[in-house]
Amino acid sequence: MPATPPPDLARLFAEAAPRFGLSRPAGACFAAIWRAAQAPSAEDLVTILGLSRSNVSVALKELRERGLIQTARSFGSRKDYFVADPDPWALLRALLIERQRRDLAPLAERLASLAEGADDPRLAPLAQMVQTADDWFARLTRHDAAELAQLMQAGELPKKKKKKNRD
């Protein structure tokens, strides 16, 4: 059986998961899979995390659908084992892809259709802003994990202007 992840990491991932559109059990399972020295099976995750078998099954399905984990087989075993890319930038990329696909793209479409027949002149700029954000996310997620890391690390934010002392 794989080593147990630090409880604080599993708890942290479980708490953060809903912010990224995942369930708490999916976050805890991801932490255990991501940190495992050997790929865990579903039964291992039940034991490690103390979750029910049904919670683990649903969480694994959720993680696979979002591209965060893959299923692997061990020679001579009929069990499925689960692996995650150890690169945190690959994790960020997968989360950005999913957020853009599930949230931004549908919002942009709905706002564009609302703006078409609306009397409110504020809707068109709002729809355009969301479409711009959606396009930006889509372009960002076309980069592989290494390119994404380079882009984000190279991009400098504007420095805060110092306040002038008027004494």
Side-chain angles (χ1 to χ4, degrees), residues 63-82:
L63 293 169
R64 279 192 307 265
E65 286 174 351
R66 286 169 175 76
L68 295 171
I69 63 169
Q70 293 78 40
T71 304
R73 287 276 171 108
S74 178
F75 183 73
S77 174
R78 297 181 76 192
K79 283 185 181 181
D80 285 336
Y81 294 88
F82 303 95

Side-chain angles (χ1 to χ4, degrees), residues 43-154:
E43 291 79 23
D44 294 334
L45 294 171
V46 167
T47 303
I48 290 168
L49 300 169
L51 296 173
S52 70
R53 178 72 169 110
S54 62
N55 271 348
V56 168
S57 293
V58 171
L60 292 172
K61 180 181 178 196
E62 207 177 321
L63 293 169
R64 279 192 307 265
E65 286 174 351
R66 286 169 175 76
L68 295 171
I69 63 169
Q70 293 78 40
T71 304
R73 287 276 171 108
S74 178
F75 183 73
S77 174
R78 297 181 76 192
K79 283 185 181 181
D80 285 336
Y81 294 88
F82 303 95
V83 294
D85 192 326
D87 182 1
W89 291 99
L91 169 61
L92 176 63
R93 182 177 181 273
L95 291 171
L96 290 174
I97 287 170
E98 189 63 16
R99 185 57 82 191
Q100 186 268 332
R101 184 187 71 80
R102 288 179 58 132
D103 296 329
L104 279 176
L107 178 61
E109 286 178 30
R110 289 185 66 199
L111 275 172
S113 67
L114 279 175
E116 279 180 24
D119 295 336
D120 190 343
R122 297 173 295 179
L123 278 180
L126 178 63
Q128 183 56 46
M129 180 274 302
V130 172
Q131 184 61 55
T132 301
D134 181 47
D135 292 344
W136 184 81
F137 264 86
R139 284 193 313 272
L140 186 64
T141 59
R142 286 187 200 117
H143 297 283
D144 66 22
E147 292 170 332
L148 181 62
Q150 279 184 322
L151 279 171
M152 292 185 81
Q153 291 169 345

